[in-house]
Amino acid sequence: MSTYQKVFLIDDDEIHNFLCESVIRNQQFAQSVSSFLWAEEALEALSRIVRDEPAAFPEIIFLDINMPGMDGWEFIEEYRKLPQEFTQNCLLFVLSSAVDKNDITHARNLSEVSDFFSKPLTSDILHIISEQYTVL
């Protein structure tokens, strides 16, 4: 399986983040995993990376949609404002328990979103990403 340098998890469920981190580490999918309970916090981290440590921008972001405060849709709106030289080299996957077909369709129609996966994150999903998606 491909090994990525850095993955961001953005989900307001601490247990879900812990489980995702475990799957990513057990599958040796990434060397580094950073979890964020708040989308605003993740955006601040991304902005700081752009400013101070460009090589540390994540290659993959897993984003939940339904979160308190800034939700996934609002995160994507703000993510669009980051320099494209960074975002074009990052795969953004919506990872959500949302079952609303409109949410799934909307996510897949956004140019920033590589794909939509239903929770939980599994080794099968990581395998699909490794096989079907390439970080530019």
PDB file of all heavy atoms in Angstrom, residues 82-108:
ATOM      1  N   LEU A  82      -7.358  28.904   0.187  1.00  0.00           N
ATOM      2  CA  LEU A  82      -5.935  28.595   0.353  1.00  0.00           C
ATOM      3  C   LEU A  82      -5.282  28.576  -1.025  1.00  0.00           C
ATOM      4  O   LEU A  82      -5.947  28.303  -2.037  1.00  0.00           O
ATOM      5  CB  LEU A  82      -5.759  27.243   1.049  1.00  0.00           C
ATOM      6  CG  LEU A  82      -6.234  27.165   2.494  1.00  0.00           C
ATOM      7  CD1 LEU A  82      -6.196  25.726   2.989  1.00  0.00           C
ATOM      8  CD2 LEU A  82      -5.389  28.066   3.388  1.00  0.00           C
ATOM      9  N   PRO A  83      -3.978  28.847  -1.087  1.00  0.00           N
ATOM     10  CA  PRO A  83      -3.301  28.859  -2.391  1.00  0.00           C
ATOM     11  C   PRO A  83      -3.453  27.518  -3.126  1.00  0.00           C
ATOM     12  O   PRO A  83      -3.214  26.456  -2.554  1.00  0.00           O
ATOM     13  CB  PRO A  83      -1.839  29.131  -2.036  1.00  0.00           C
ATOM     14  CG  PRO A  83      -1.881  29.767  -0.679  1.00  0.00           C
ATOM     15  CD  PRO A  83      -3.075  29.182   0.009  1.00  0.00           C
ATOM     16  N   GLN A  84      -3.830  27.625  -4.391  1.00  0.00           N
ATOM     17  CA  GLN A  84      -4.073  26.423  -5.181  1.00  0.00           C
ATOM     18  C   GLN A  84      -2.820  25.567  -5.343  1.00  0.00           C
ATOM     19  O   GLN A  84      -2.913  24.353  -5.487  1.00  0.00           O
ATOM     20  CB  GLN A  84      -4.632  26.796  -6.554  1.00  0.00           C
ATOM     21  CG  GLN A  84      -5.138  25.607  -7.323  1.00  0.00           C
ATOM     22  CD  GLN A  84      -5.805  26.002  -8.627  1.00  0.00           C
ATOM     23  OE1 GLN A  84      -5.711  27.137  -9.071  1.00  0.00           O
ATOM     24  NE2 GLN A  84      -6.475  25.053  -9.234  1.00  0.00           N
ATOM     25  N   GLU A  85      -1.662  26.171  -5.263  1.00  0.00           N
ATOM     26  CA  GLU A  85      -0.429  25.395  -5.375  1.00  0.00           C
ATOM     27  C   GLU A  85      -0.329  24.336  -4.271  1.00  0.00           C
ATOM     28  O   GLU A  85       0.362  23.335  -4.430  1.00  0.00           O
ATOM     29  CB  GLU A  85       0.795  26.301  -5.354  1.00  0.00           C
ATOM     30  CG  GLU A  85       0.996  27.030  -4.037  1.00  0.00           C
ATOM     31  CD  GLU A  85       2.009  28.139  -4.126  1.00  0.00           C
ATOM     32  OE1 GLU A  85       1.667  29.209  -4.621  1.00  0.00           O
ATOM     33  OE2 GLU A  85       3.153  27.906  -3.670  1.00  0.00           O
ATOM     34  N   PHE A  86      -1.041  24.551  -3.167  1.00  0.00           N
ATOM     35  CA  PHE A  86      -1.079  23.569  -2.077  1.00  0.00           C
ATOM     36  C   PHE A  86      -2.269  22.629  -2.228  1.00  0.00           C
ATOM     37  O   PHE A  86      -2.121  21.411  -2.123  1.00  0.00           O
ATOM     38  CB  PHE A  86      -1.146  24.276  -0.715  1.00  0.00           C
ATOM     39  CG  PHE A  86       0.086  25.058  -0.407  1.00  0.00           C
ATOM     40  CD1 PHE A  86       0.152  26.405  -0.709  1.00  0.00           C
ATOM     41  CD2 PHE A  86       1.180  24.453   0.174  1.00  0.00           C
ATOM     42  CE1 PHE A  86       1.297  27.135  -0.436  1.00  0.00           C
ATOM     43  CE2 PHE A  86       2.333  25.167   0.448  1.00  0.00           C
ATOM     44  CZ  PHE A  86       2.393  26.520   0.138  1.00  0.00           C
ATOM     45  N   THR A  87      -3.443  23.199  -2.444  1.00  0.00           N
ATOM     46  CA  THR A  87      -4.658  22.384  -2.464  1.00  0.00           C
ATOM     47  C   THR A  87      -4.709  21.446  -3.658  1.00  0.00           C
ATOM     48  O   THR A  87      -5.301  20.379  -3.564  1.00  0.00           O
ATOM     49  CB  THR A  87      -5.921  23.270  -2.430  1.00  0.00           C
ATOM     50  OG1 THR A  87      -5.923  24.153  -3.549  1.00  0.00           O
ATOM     51  CG2 THR A  87      -5.980  24.066  -1.129  1.00  0.00           C
ATOM     52  N   GLN A  88      -4.091  21.817  -4.759  1.00  0.00           N
ATOM     53  CA  GLN A  88      -4.122  20.933  -5.925  1.00  0.00           C
ATOM     54  C   GLN A  88      -3.314  19.660  -5.709  1.00  0.00           C
ATOM     55  O   GLN A  88      -3.492  18.676  -6.421  1.00  0.00           O
ATOM     56  CB  GLN A  88      -3.637  21.665  -7.178  1.00  0.00           C
ATOM     57  CG  GLN A  88      -2.151  21.937  -7.206  1.00  0.00           C
ATOM     58  CD  GLN A  88      -1.730  22.747  -8.404  1.00  0.00           C
ATOM     59  OE1 GLN A  88      -2.560  23.153  -9.204  1.00  0.00           O
ATOM     60  NE2 GLN A  88      -0.436  22.983  -8.534  1.00  0.00           N
ATOM     61  N   ASN A  89      -2.445  19.675  -4.724  1.00  0.00           N
ATOM     62  CA  ASN A  89      -1.634  18.501  -4.406  1.00  0.00           C
ATOM     63  C   ASN A  89      -2.162  17.739  -3.198  1.00  0.00           C
ATOM     64  O   ASN A  89      -1.455  16.929  -2.616  1.00  0.00           O
ATOM     65  CB  ASN A  89      -0.184  18.917  -4.159  1.00  0.00           C
ATOM     66  CG  ASN A  89       0.439  19.493  -5.394  1.00  0.00           C
ATOM     67  OD1 ASN A  89       0.222  18.989  -6.494  1.00  0.00           O
ATOM     68  ND2 ASN A  89       1.195  20.558  -5.239  1.00  0.00           N
ATOM     69  N   CYS A  90      -3.399  18.015  -2.830  1.00  0.00           N
ATOM     70  CA  CYS A  90      -4.014  17.378  -1.665  1.00  0.00           C
ATOM     71  C   CYS A  90      -5.331  16.731  -2.086  1.00  0.00           C
ATOM     72  O   CYS A  90      -6.147  17.354  -2.773  1.00  0.00           O
ATOM     73  CB  CYS A  90      -4.272  18.440  -0.593  1.00  0.00           C
ATOM     74  SG  CYS A  90      -5.056  17.800   0.900  1.00  0.00           S
ATOM     75  N   LEU A  91      -5.518  15.493  -1.683  1.00  0.00           N
ATOM     76  CA  LEU A  91      -6.777  14.795  -1.941  1.00  0.00           C
ATOM     77  C   LEU A  91      -7.701  15.020  -0.756  1.00  0.00           C
ATOM     78  O   LEU A  91      -7.340  14.699   0.376  1.00  0.00           O
ATOM     79  CB  LEU A  91      -6.534  13.297  -2.127  1.00  0.00           C
ATOM     80  CG  LEU A  91      -5.637  12.903  -3.293  1.00  0.00           C
ATOM     81  CD1 LEU A  91      -5.288  11.423  -3.216  1.00  0.00           C
ATOM     82  CD2 LEU A  91      -6.302  13.225  -4.616  1.00  0.00           C
ATOM     83  N   LEU A  92      -8.876  15.573  -1.016  1.00  0.00           N
ATOM     84  CA  LEU A  92      -9.850  15.826   0.041  1.00  0.00           C
ATOM     85  C   LEU A  92     -10.999  14.826  -0.127  1.00  0.00           C
ATOM     86  O   LEU A  92     -11.654  14.813  -1.167  1.00  0.00           O
ATOM     87  CB  LEU A  92     -10.366  17.265  -0.034  1.00  0.00           C
ATOM     88  CG  LEU A  92     -11.197  17.716   1.162  1.00  0.00           C
ATOM     89  CD1 LEU A  92     -11.015  19.226   1.358  1.00  0.00           C
ATOM     90  CD2 LEU A  92     -12.657  17.424   0.987  1.00  0.00           C
ATOM     91  N   PHE A  93     -11.187  13.993   0.892  1.00  0.00           N
ATOM     92  CA  PHE A  93     -12.253  12.999   0.872  1.00  0.00           C
ATOM     93  C   PHE A  93     -13.272  13.335   1.950  1.00  0.00           C
ATOM     94  O   PHE A  93     -12.897  13.570   3.097  1.00  0.00           O
ATOM     95  CB  PHE A  93     -11.712  11.590   1.135  1.00  0.00           C
ATOM     96  CG  PHE A  93     -10.769  11.111   0.083  1.00  0.00           C
ATOM     97  CD1 PHE A  93      -9.401  11.166   0.276  1.00  0.00           C
ATOM     98  CD2 PHE A  93     -11.249  10.619  -1.122  1.00  0.00           C
ATOM     99  CE1 PHE A  93      -8.517  10.736  -0.695  1.00  0.00           C
ATOM    100  CE2 PHE A  93     -10.381  10.192  -2.110  1.00  0.00           C
ATOM    101  CZ  PHE A  93      -9.012  10.247  -1.903  1.00  0.00           C
ATOM    102  N   VAL A  94     -14.535  13.355   1.574  1.00  0.00           N
ATOM    103  CA  VAL A  94     -15.587  13.483   2.575  1.00  0.00           C
ATOM    104  C   VAL A  94     -15.780  12.094   3.167  1.00  0.00           C
ATOM    105  O   VAL A  94     -15.940  11.111   2.439  1.00  0.00           O
ATOM    106  CB  VAL A  94     -16.895  14.016   1.952  1.00  0.00           C
ATOM    107  CG1 VAL A  94     -18.040  13.948   2.952  1.00  0.00           C
ATOM    108  CG2 VAL A  94     -16.704  15.454   1.464  1.00  0.00           C
ATOM    109  N   LEU A  95     -15.706  12.020   4.486  1.00  0.00           N
ATOM    110  CA  LEU A  95     -15.910  10.770   5.222  1.00  0.00           C
ATOM    111  C   LEU A  95     -17.016  11.060   6.220  1.00  0.00           C
ATOM    112  O   LEU A  95     -16.793  11.722   7.225  1.00  0.00           O
ATOM    113  CB  LEU A  95     -14.622  10.349   5.930  1.00  0.00           C
ATOM    114  CG  LEU A  95     -14.664   9.050   6.709  1.00  0.00           C
ATOM    115  CD1 LEU A  95     -14.912   7.868   5.772  1.00  0.00           C
ATOM    116  CD2 LEU A  95     -13.357   8.851   7.463  1.00  0.00           C
ATOM    117  N   SER A  96     -18.210  10.602   5.900  1.00  0.00           N
ATOM    118  CA  SER A  96     -19.365  11.033   6.677  1.00  0.00           C
ATOM    119  C   SER A  96     -20.347   9.895   6.884  1.00  0.00           C
ATOM    120  O   SER A  96     -20.391   8.939   6.120  1.00  0.00           O
ATOM    121  CB  SER A  96     -20.056  12.187   5.937  1.00  0.00           C
ATOM    122  OG  SER A  96     -21.168  12.651   6.653  1.00  0.00           O
ATOM    123  N   SER A  97     -21.145  10.048   7.924  1.00  0.00           N
ATOM    124  CA  SER A  97     -22.237   9.105   8.153  1.00  0.00           C
ATOM    125  C   SER A  97     -23.511   9.599   7.481  1.00  0.00           C
ATOM    126  O   SER A  97     -24.559   8.965   7.596  1.00  0.00           O
ATOM    127  CB  SER A  97     -22.459   8.905   9.652  1.00  0.00           C
ATOM    128  OG  SER A  97     -22.710  10.151  10.263  1.00  0.00           O
ATOM    129  N   ALA A  98     -23.419  10.728   6.773  1.00  0.00           N
ATOM    130  CA  ALA A  98     -24.582  11.284   6.077  1.00  0.00           C
ATOM    131  C   ALA A  98     -25.108  10.267   5.071  1.00  0.00           C
ATOM    132  O   ALA A  98     -24.338   9.666   4.328  1.00  0.00           O
ATOM    133  CB  ALA A  98     -24.212  12.574   5.356  1.00  0.00           C
ATOM    134  N   VAL A  99     -26.403  10.078   5.067  1.00  0.00           N
ATOM    135  CA  VAL A  99     -27.009   9.149   4.126  1.00  0.00           C
ATOM    136  C   VAL A  99     -27.901   9.880   3.127  1.00  0.00           C
ATOM    137  O   VAL A  99     -28.513   9.261   2.274  1.00  0.00           O
ATOM    138  CB  VAL A  99     -27.829   8.049   4.847  1.00  0.00           C
ATOM    139  CG1 VAL A  99     -26.901   7.119   5.605  1.00  0.00           C
ATOM    140  CG2 VAL A  99     -28.859   8.648   5.778  1.00  0.00           C
ATOM    141  N   ASP A 100     -27.941  11.192   3.239  1.00  0.00           N
ATOM    142  CA  ASP A 100     -28.724  12.010   2.324  1.00  0.00           C
ATOM    143  C   ASP A 100     -28.051  11.981   0.950  1.00  0.00           C
ATOM    144  O   ASP A 100     -26.914  12.430   0.801  1.00  0.00           O
ATOM    145  CB  ASP A 100     -28.811  13.440   2.861  1.00  0.00           C
ATOM    146  CG  ASP A 100     -29.681  14.333   2.012  1.00  0.00           C
ATOM    147  OD1 ASP A 100     -29.932  14.017   0.828  1.00  0.00           O
ATOM    148  OD2 ASP A 100     -30.109  15.382   2.532  1.00  0.00           O
ATOM    149  N   LYS A 101     -28.748  11.450  -0.031  1.00  0.00           N
ATOM    150  CA  LYS A 101     -28.182  11.334  -1.380  1.00  0.00           C
ATOM    151  C   LYS A 101     -27.790  12.691  -1.949  1.00  0.00           C
ATOM    152  O   LYS A 101     -26.845  12.795  -2.719  1.00  0.00           O
ATOM    153  CB  LYS A 101     -29.149  10.616  -2.305  1.00  0.00           C
ATOM    154  CG  LYS A 101     -29.319   9.156  -1.959  1.00  0.00           C
ATOM    155  CD  LYS A 101     -29.942   8.391  -3.111  1.00  0.00           C
ATOM    156  CE  LYS A 101     -30.234   6.970  -2.733  1.00  0.00           C
ATOM    157  NZ  LYS A 101     -29.090   6.159  -2.439  1.00  0.00           N
ATOM    158  N   ASN A 102     -28.498  13.758  -1.543  1.00  0.00           N
ATOM    159  CA  ASN A 102     -28.148  15.102  -2.004  1.00  0.00           C
ATOM    160  C   ASN A 102     -26.768  15.509  -1.482  1.00  0.00           C
ATOM    161  O   ASN A 102     -26.003  16.152  -2.204  1.00  0.00           O
ATOM    162  CB  ASN A 102     -29.204  16.119  -1.577  1.00  0.00           C
ATOM    163  CG  ASN A 102     -30.511  15.920  -2.298  1.00  0.00           C
ATOM    164  OD1 ASN A 102     -30.555  15.463  -3.444  1.00  0.00           O
ATOM    165  ND2 ASN A 102     -31.607  16.240  -1.630  1.00  0.00           N
ATOM    166  N   ASP A 103     -26.458  15.154  -0.229  1.00  0.00           N
ATOM    167  CA  ASP A 103     -25.131  15.453   0.322  1.00  0.00           C
ATOM    168  C   ASP A 103     -24.044  14.706  -0.448  1.00  0.00           C
ATOM    169  O   ASP A 103     -22.999  15.268  -0.770  1.00  0.00           O
ATOM    170  CB  ASP A 103     -25.051  15.071   1.800  1.00  0.00           C
ATOM    171  CG  ASP A 103     -25.714  16.085   2.716  1.00  0.00           C
ATOM    172  OD1 ASP A 103     -26.036  17.199   2.247  1.00  0.00           O
ATOM    173  OD2 ASP A 103     -25.907  15.760   3.901  1.00  0.00           O
ATOM    174  N   ILE A 104     -24.299  13.442  -0.733  1.00  0.00           N
ATOM    175  CA  ILE A 104     -23.317  12.635  -1.454  1.00  0.00           C
ATOM    176  C   ILE A 104     -23.099  13.202  -2.851  1.00  0.00           C
ATOM    177  O   ILE A 104     -21.951  13.397  -3.283  1.00  0.00           O
ATOM    178  CB  ILE A 104     -23.777  11.155  -1.517  1.00  0.00           C
ATOM    179  CG1 ILE A 104     -23.840  10.571  -0.108  1.00  0.00           C
ATOM    180  CG2 ILE A 104     -22.852  10.338  -2.408  1.00  0.00           C
ATOM    181  CD1 ILE A 104     -24.538   9.234  -0.005  1.00  0.00           C
ATOM    182  N   THR A 105     -24.181  13.511  -3.547  1.00  0.00           N
ATOM    183  CA  THR A 105     -24.080  14.078  -4.895  1.00  0.00           C
ATOM    184  C   THR A 105     -23.378  15.423  -4.858  1.00  0.00           C
ATOM    185  O   THR A 105     -22.487  15.696  -5.668  1.00  0.00           O
ATOM    186  CB  THR A 105     -25.482  14.224  -5.525  1.00  0.00           C
ATOM    187  OG1 THR A 105     -26.081  12.926  -5.574  1.00  0.00           O
ATOM    188  CG2 THR A 105     -25.411  14.808  -6.921  1.00  0.00           C
ATOM    189  N   HIS A 106     -23.767  16.275  -3.910  1.00  0.00           N
ATOM    190  CA  HIS A 106     -23.153  17.597  -3.786  1.00  0.00           C
ATOM    191  C   HIS A 106     -21.650  17.467  -3.556  1.00  0.00           C
ATOM    192  O   HIS A 106     -20.850  18.161  -4.202  1.00  0.00           O
ATOM    193  CB  HIS A 106     -23.817  18.388  -2.656  1.00  0.00           C
ATOM    194  CG  HIS A 106     -23.249  19.744  -2.448  1.00  0.00           C
ATOM    195  ND1 HIS A 106     -23.294  20.735  -3.406  1.00  0.00           N
ATOM    196  CD2 HIS A 106     -22.595  20.283  -1.388  1.00  0.00           C
ATOM    197  CE1 HIS A 106     -22.700  21.823  -2.943  1.00  0.00           C
ATOM    198  NE2 HIS A 106     -22.275  21.569  -1.720  1.00  0.00           N
ATOM    199  N   ALA A 107     -21.252  16.598  -2.649  1.00  0.00           N
ATOM    200  CA  ALA A 107     -19.828  16.415  -2.346  1.00  0.00           C
ATOM    201  C   ALA A 107     -19.067  15.962  -3.588  1.00  0.00           C
ATOM    202  O   ALA A 107     -18.000  16.495  -3.902  1.00  0.00           O
ATOM    203  CB  ALA A 107     -19.650  15.399  -1.218  1.00  0.00           C
ATOM    204  N   ARG A 108     -19.600  15.007  -4.299  1.00  0.00           N
ATOM    205  CA  ARG A 108     -18.907  14.471  -5.469  1.00  0.00           C
ATOM    206  C   ARG A 108     -18.859  15.466  -6.630  1.00  0.00           C
ATOM    207  O   ARG A 108     -18.024  15.317  -7.519  1.00  0.00           O
ATOM    208  CB  ARG A 108     -19.561  13.159  -5.909  1.00  0.00           C
ATOM    209  CG  ARG A 108     -19.239  12.036  -4.938  1.00  0.00           C
ATOM    210  CD  ARG A 108     -19.736  10.703  -5.400  1.00  0.00           C
ATOM    211  NE  ARG A 108     -19.205   9.647  -4.543  1.00  0.00           N
ATOM    212  CZ  ARG A 108     -19.821   8.521  -4.294  1.00  0.00           C
ATOM    213  NH1 ARG A 108     -20.995   8.263  -4.831  1.00  0.00           N
ATOM    214  NH2 ARG A 108     -19.274   7.614  -3.509  1.00  0.00           N
TER     215      ARG A 108
END
